[in-house]
Amino acid sequence: MLHSAGNGARHPRKYLVHDRILGIGDDYWIEDEHGRHAFLVDGKALRLRETFELKDLHGRVLVTIRKKMLALRDTMTLERDDRPLATIRRKRLSLLRNHYRVELVDGTELDVSGKIMDREFAVEYEGELLAEISRRWLTLRDAYGVNVVRDDVDPALVIAVAVGVIRLAERERGED
């Protein structure tokens, strides 16, 4: 489930994501490490609930990110091809406020922890680093980098996880 849904071609491993991704109705490009367009973020303004689509260069939807309605705890869902892909929630029984669990439909669980609001956190699987999210490498203040560490990890999935976790953390802090 961590593998790309694409044709197996190697993707760049670092991406630049602007914080305006969290603005519903905004469309803009995520750039790769060479400054080229890599993914289009389409914020769906006329939806009943928060919805973002992460699209490839040809306009195909790779991952849909939605706020789950009627959940006891704030939850974001990820979908691929109109089918559930993953659920993101703040981890229960964690002493760290900034610790989230991503449950993929195949049973895989990813841990996300760090300073979410500062855009300094990691995505791990069974203690192994999959990706790091950071502003440290950038001179742009309103952007963060996503560095996909392992070659067998789907960059679109990791970017969608980062967006979902950041949105949940902002909602927790009342930054709607």
Side-chain angles (χ1 to χ4, degrees):
M1 190 58 71
L2 295 175
H3 304 285
S4 175
N7 60 7
R10 189 179 188 301
H11 295 279
R13 308 315 296 166
K14 291 184 181 177
Y15 300 90
L16 175 69
V17 182
H18 297 272
D19 269 334
R20 73 181 154 201
I21 192 167
L22 302 176
I24 304 268
D26 285 345
D27 293 355
Y28 73 93
W29 290 97
I30 292 174
E31 298 168 358
D32 69 15
E33 59 195 298
H34 305 290
R36 296 182 301 238
H37 291 169
F39 301 104
L40 176 67
V41 175
D42 185 355
K44 297 296 185 182
L46 300 175
R47 299 282 170 93
L48 193 56
R49 58 186 172 165
E50 287 182 72
T51 302
F52 305 96
E53 291 178 342
L54 189 61
K55 297 179 177 180
D56 68 11
L57 295 175
H58 306 290
R60 291 184 299 252
V61 177
L62 301 174
V63 180
T64 301
I65 308 160
R66 298 183 205 276
K67 178 177 182 325
K68 188 171 183 176
M69 301 294 282
L70 305 172
L72 293 176
R73 294 184 292 159
D74 270 350
T75 303
M76 297 297 278
T77 61
L78 305 181
E79 299 171 5
R80 180 170 276 150
D81 300 325
D82 295 320
R83 292 190 309 268
L85 176 63
T87 303
I88 306 170
R89 292 184 187 90
R90 188 164 61 84
K91 189 173 180 180
R92 285 189 187 184
L93 305 174
S94 174
L95 298 176
L96 302 173
R97 181 175 168 93
N98 291 309
H99 198 157
Y100 292 81
R101 170 149 298 139
V102 180
E103 297 175 28
L104 284 80
V105 294
D106 70 356
T108 302
E109 291 186 352
L110 307 179
D111 286 311
V112 180
S113 61
K115 297 178 180 178
I116 308 297
M117 297 307 291
D118 293 337
R119 308 311 190 253
E120 298 291 337
F121 59 96
V123 179
E124 297 180 338
Y125 170 67
E126 295 184 347
E128 184 179 343
L129 182 66
L130 299 181
E132 52 188 346
I133 290 74
S134 180
R135 282 190 169 144
R136 284 189 311 261
W137 324 309
L138 305 173
T139 56
L140 299 172
R141 204 176 63 189
D142 294 332
Y144 56 94
V146 175
N147 182 21
V148 181
V149 176
R150 283 185 28 181
D151 286 340
D152 63 340
V153 174
D154 178 5
L157 174 61
V158 171
I159 291 169
V161 165
V163 169
V165 166
I166 289 168
R167 189 63 190 128
L168 284 176
E170 288 182 341
R171 292 181 66 79
E172 261 181 35
R173 288 187 47 179
E175 297 181 17
D176 288 336

